[in-house]
Amino acid sequence: MTATSTAADHLVRAVNVTKAFGTNEVLKGIDLAVDAKEVVCLLGPSGSGKTTFLRLINQMESLTGGRIWVGGELIGIEDRNGKLHVRKDKDIARQRSRIGMVFQRFNLFPHMTALENVMEAPVKVKRQSKDSVKKEALELLEMVGLAERARYYPSQLSGGQQQRVAIARALAMKPELMLFDEPTSALDPELVGEVLGVMRNLAQEGTTMIVVTHEMGFAREVADRVVFMDQGVVVEEGPPKEVLMNPKEERTKTFLRRVKQQAEAEAAHDEELARILAEAASGE
Ligand SMILES: Nc1ncnc2c1ncn2[C@@H]1O[C@H](COP(=O)(O)OP(=O)(O)OP(=O)(O)O)[C@@H](O)[C@H]1O
Ligand SMILES: [Mg+2]
């Protein structure tokens, strides 16, 4: 396969991507292709390089080796008459504006309302008129179920609500690709569902998404493909039914067993807590 054909065939194409921080080789040759409208869930133990990989796609870090194409364009560098050149800052900013990213921590601007947070990038970066941006921002807030909270500040919103504003904010730039890095892992358990619900709707609407998550239910139901990473390599990938229910590789099996045990321990802990609280309430 030539570089040009790979670029045109997929929305994201990573070829032999490596990343080192000093002597620490974090990614050791990642190959991954994501098609338009595909939802790919990225799983793997802590430190396996999931966040680093997303940050490379979004050019928040620079590649040590390999190539990444997004929407048919090489990111960070360009091919001019067969010679590779580093792209200009403005060009990199344009490429980054095609990608929306949602982090574990919501990273909203604390001094802006939900509506202002969503409006910020289209007004400042795309220089669109405030009126049209406002209309679209309100529609996005409605889509994530927060039309009534448009004038609230982040500190007046729950974690789940803040994360839904963060999703609306990323969507405001009309990205071709959405990257999610453990978007629910900082949330109280009862707030996880509302955020996953919004993400599920996005997936159903055909949004191309790469989602780092430990939410196995979401991966099973929503992902077209699951990619399991460990120690900087892709160990196994395939449809969720295969990778999650019938993994081939020993490392995948060990990881899934551990995630399951952890979920069970958390559920038991929640049950115990509920019992203690109920007892305390009845004794009052
Ligand atoms: N900016 C950085 N400078 C130096 N080392 C880094 C940097 N970012 C990440 N690393 C290292 O890269 C490795 C992979 O980190 P990364 O955050 O990508 O893992 P992860 O799979 O996202 O883990 P987690 O599930 O805990 O979020 C870790 O050993 C980490 O210490
Ligand atoms: Mg991470």
Side-chain angles (χ1 to χ4, degrees):
M1 221 185 310
T2 67
T4 8
S5 75
T6 58
D9 292 347
H10 308 285
L11 184 61
V12 182
R13 176 78 173 134
V15 175
N16 198 21
V17 164
T18 59
K19 177 67 184 175
F21 294 105
T23 54
N24 186 10
E25 217 186 354
V26 171
L27 297 178
K28 298 170 185 158
I30 301 281
D31 290 313
L32 187 74
V34 179
D35 290 336
K37 303 195 174 190
E38 211 182 359
V39 178
V40 171
C41 279
L42 208 53
L43 313 179
S46 183
S48 55
K50 306 178 298 291
T51 295
T52 303
F53 184 58
L54 292 191
R55 289 171 60 89
L56 286 172
I57 296 174
N58 198 23
Q59 301 190 61
M60 294 162 83
E61 298 282 359
S62 56
L63 290 160
T64 302
R67 301 260 186 277
I68 300 178
W69 290 262
V70 176
E73 279 186 9
L74 260 178
I75 62 163
I77 44 180
E78 64 182 327
D79 190 335
R80 271 189 250 138
N81 306 322
K83 266 197 167 168
L84 295 178
H85 297 266
V86 174
R87 286 183 190 269
K88 295 197 172 65
D89 288 351
K90 208 176 148 192
D91 203 26
I92 288 177
R94 174 189 61 77
Q95 291 191 319
R96 292 192 60 197
S97 73
R98 299 162 68 182
I99 300 173
M101 185 148 175
V102 176
F103 305 86
Q104 184 173 1
R105 296 266 158 210
F106 330 120
N107 304 94
L108 295 176
F109 302 115
H111 58 289
M112 292 183 190
T113 64
L115 179 63
E116 287 163 351
N117 264 283
V118 179
M119 290 175 63
E120 176 73 4
V123 169
K124 288 275 157 64
V125 181
K126 286 199 173 165
R127 304 198 175 279
Q128 294 171 349
S129 86
K130 270 201 169 171
D131 282 346
S132 71
V133 170
K134 187 173 172 184
K135 187 169 166 284
E136 285 179 13
L138 286 169
E139 283 166 10
L140 283 170
L141 284 171
E142 183 161 1
M143 193 188 86
V144 300
L146 289 172
E148 274 79 57
R149 296 283 191 274
R151 315 262 165 216
Y152 284 51
Y153 287 89
S155 62
Q156 300 169 315
L157 298 169
S158 73
Q161 290 169 338
Q162 288 182 57
Q163 193 61 306
R164 285 185 282 147
V165 174
I167 294 172
R169 184 178 60 172
L171 292 171
M173 290 292 279
K174 302 192 173 64
E176 291 162 52
L177 168 70
M178 285 288 285
L179 306 175
F180 292 87
D181 192 2
E182 300 198 40
T184 59
S185 57
L187 298 176
D188 289 337
E190 69 272 20
L191 302 178
V192 168
E194 64 191 53
V195 173
L196 292 181
V198 167
M199 291 169 61
R200 182 169 309 186
N201 289 344
L202 284 179
Q204 273 160 6
E205 285 167 13
T207 312
T208 312
M209 300 167 40
I210 305 179
V211 185
V212 175
T213 185
H214 290 164
E215 294 291 336
M216 295 301 157
F218 179 84
R220 200 169 47 232
E221 288 158 32
V222 182
D224 296 301
R225 195 147 46 95
V226 169
V227 175
F228 173 67
M229 275 174 67
D230 192 18
Q231 296 183 3
V233 297
V234 171
V235 173
E236 185 165 357
E237 65 172 297
K241 274 209 180 90
E242 279 171 28
V243 177
L244 300 178
M245 316 296 239
N246 197 11
K248 290 189 187 68
E249 301 293 330
E250 208 46 53
R251 278 197 271 179
T252 320
K253 290 180 193 169
T254 309
F255 172 75
L256 291 173
R257 217 175 295 134
R258 215 169 45 224
V259 170
K260 192 164 166 244
Q261 280 165 356
Q262 212 166 341
E264 281 166 3
E266 273 166 25
H269 175 265
D270 287 350
E271 240 170 65
E272 177 70 0
L273 195 64
R275 193 182 58 74
I276 292 168
L277 289 173
E279 260 179 32
S282 67
E284 265 170 15

